[in-house]
Amino acid sequence: MYAYRADRAFDGERVLSSGALVLVDDGRIVAVQEGHPPAPHDCAVTYLPGTTLLPGLIDAHTHLCGNDAMDALDRLPHIGDDEIDAAVRTAFDRQLEAGVTAVRDLGDYRWAVVDRHRDRPDGPTVVASGPPITSLGGHCADLGGAVAGVAALRAAVRERAERGADLVKLMTSGGMMTPSSDVGACQFTLDEVRAVVDEAHRHGLPVTAHAHALAAVQQCLAAGVDGIEHCSCIGAHGHGAPPEVADAIAAAGIAVCPTLGHDLSRMPPLPPAVAETVARHGLTVDNLIANVGILHRHGVTLISGADSGINPVKAHGNLPRAVVELAAAGVSTVDALASATGRAADACGLAGRTGRLRAGLDADLLIVEGDPTTEISAVRAVRAVVSRGRVTGTPRSNV
């Protein structure tokens, strides 16, 4: 048995201001004791003074096959399985270094993650959608999930159920990394989106939908999706969620992953088509954060995911930046931390496995320097990471 002690703790829902002692055995948490109780006899204790103990973080939107390059997704059809597998392994390492012990993969290619990497013992816990379902020639069509028509959409959902995917990812609008698509337009009819949701729910699978366009977000509401990715709400009105739409998302209980987390120090020159899209729709970091503030003020459930792996600005391991940017949108530090721990676990179907300091769950732990419950940037000051009871390699500081 091992124990981890810290002067402060956050258990995935609330602050334990007097600290905690977490007992771990055989990869699981066996007890969480507030304060500074003595550890059991012969129990090795890891104690780093001045630190805060949290559950390991959850990146609710990642692309494990992506290698952080500008062509991270475009390159996939042109490389072999060995290179894809190497990219996934590197992604795992970078996520763990940043304190991320669970991920939700929403951009698989050729079923690499579902078939070969979901049950690895030496990386983060993985929830996987398989290739995202998209329109013919639509956003991320090269990943292999492009179909047309209600019958084909239902068949695509059944394929994901049969192959053991954990959820369905649906591209309801275009996206910036596919310049030939239109981020401000829908890719499917409402009947088609409803067919996907109906078929997925019939097979017990949740649906999370990529939606930049306001019209696509409205389709998601009407169809009853379980989650919305980005939720940029681009429309004739400009950028940002209209109050009535934000209210409707909150009332429906739909979890939104706004995919914050930008490392602008790594911003390369944008391809002209991408730069034009960003300028035309006002998709600046400040505007994205402002939109999250609107959603938060209207009571929308927010979870954190970095859209990691798709380009240098959205690299694997960027999730702590997403948590910090969420706080910049007006979310409290406690809610921002919950967005990447307990609340993310609920939204990703991981509540019975991870996301909280709770007996019976996997021993996924993060120890950071300082107190992120009062200064959110401390979530980036990683001191130690434990993944399913195993201490990972030397972590990075200030990722």
Side-chain angles (χ1 to χ4, degrees):
M1 184 179 295
Y2 300 88
Y4 298 87
R5 187 192 300 279
D7 297 324
R8 294 167 300 275
F10 173 74
D11 71 358
E13 296 176 354
R14 64 191 181 95
V15 177
L16 309 181
S17 57
S18 59
L21 179 74
V22 176
L23 304 180
V24 173
D25 190 33
D26 195 26
R28 291 188 174 272
I29 297 172
V30 296
V32 179
Q33 301 174 6
E34 293 190 47
H36 295 272
H41 181 63
D42 293 334
C43 179
V45 179
T46 296
Y47 171 52
L48 301 174
T51 62
T52 300
L53 176 64
L54 313 129
L57 304 179
I58 299 170
D59 187 340
H61 190 133
T62 190
H63 296 262
L64 291 172
C65 295
N67 70 343
D68 299 346
M70 279 303 295
D71 65 345
L73 303 184
D74 293 340
R75 68 193 280 272
L76 294 175
H78 310 291
I79 62 177
D81 287 349
D82 288 348
E83 196 169 347
I84 291 171
D85 292 345
V88 174
R89 289 192 295 270
T90 298
F92 281 165
D93 290 344
R94 291 177 178 168
Q95 295 281 19
L96 286 173
E97 288 170 359
V100 175
T101 56
V103 297
R104 183 172 64 167
D105 183 79
L106 298 180
D108 203 350
Y109 177 69
R110 289 204 302 249
W111 301 93
V113 176
V114 168
D115 289 348
R116 300 196 296 277
H117 296 284
R118 191 170 34 165
D119 298 318
R120 289 171 60 95
D122 57 347
T125 298
V126 177
V127 173
S129 70
I133 297 175
T134 190
S135 60
L136 299 180
H139 182 41
C140 291
D142 287 346
L143 296 183
V147 294
V150 167
L153 286 163
R154 287 186 178 274
V157 172
R158 289 194 296 272
E159 179 184 17
R160 281 146 183 78
E162 290 162 2
R163 295 190 71 137
D166 300 296
L167 75 157
V168 172
K169 167 78 175 299
L170 178 66
M171 301 297 205
T172 63
S173 79
M176 285 188 291
M177 300 308 293
T178 308
S180 59
S181 70
D182 186 350
V183 297
C186 297
Q187 297 199 141
F188 297 104
T189 67
L190 176 56
D191 284 345
E192 288 173 326
V193 177
R194 280 178 168 154
V196 170
V197 174
D198 175 70
E199 191 70 25
H201 288 177
R202 194 167 68 85
H203 287 277
L205 296 178
V207 177
T208 196
H210 162 108
H212 280 298
L214 174 59
V217 172
Q218 291 168 325
Q219 280 187 340
C220 292
L221 278 164
V225 303
D226 304 281
I228 299 176
E229 308 301 306
H230 313 301
C231 202
S232 309
C233 295
I234 297 167
H237 70 294
H239 178 278
E244 66 275 12
V245 171
D247 286 339
I249 296 170
I254 296 172
V256 170
C257 181
T259 61
L260 300 177
H262 302 82
D263 185 355
L264 296 180
S265 70
R266 301 184 65 191
M267 174 72 81
L270 294 177
V274 175
E276 191 276 332
T277 296
V278 170
R280 177 157 49 96
H281 294 292
L283 292 171
T284 65
V285 173
D286 286 345
N287 283 346
L288 294 173
I289 291 174
N291 180 51
V292 173
I294 295 171
L295 296 172
H296 171 63
R297 290 191 294 275
H298 285 264
V300 173
T301 297
L302 298 171
I303 60 174
S304 283
D307 208 358
S308 48
I310 64 166
N311 60 45
V313 176
K314 309 287 288 180
H316 291 294
N318 259 18
L319 185 70
R321 292 180 181 271
V323 176
V324 172
E325 288 182 7
L326 200 64
V331 178
S332 72
T333 55
V334 170
D335 281 344
L337 293 171
S339 78
T341 54
R343 194 171 300 134
D346 295 340
C348 296
L350 290 169
R353 296 175 64 181
T354 189
R356 292 177 172 85
L357 302 182
R358 182 174 296 170
L361 299 188
D362 288 347
D364 291 336
L365 309 174
L366 169 62
I367 301 174
V368 299
E369 188 73 30
D371 183 2
T373 68
T374 59
E375 178 48 62
I376 194 64
S377 62
V379 74
R380 297 174 53 201
V382 177
R383 289 290 303 276
V385 181
V386 180
S387 174
R388 285 176 277 178
R390 298 182 304 276
V391 178
T392 67
T394 303
R396 292 181 292 172
S397 295
N398 299 322
V399 297

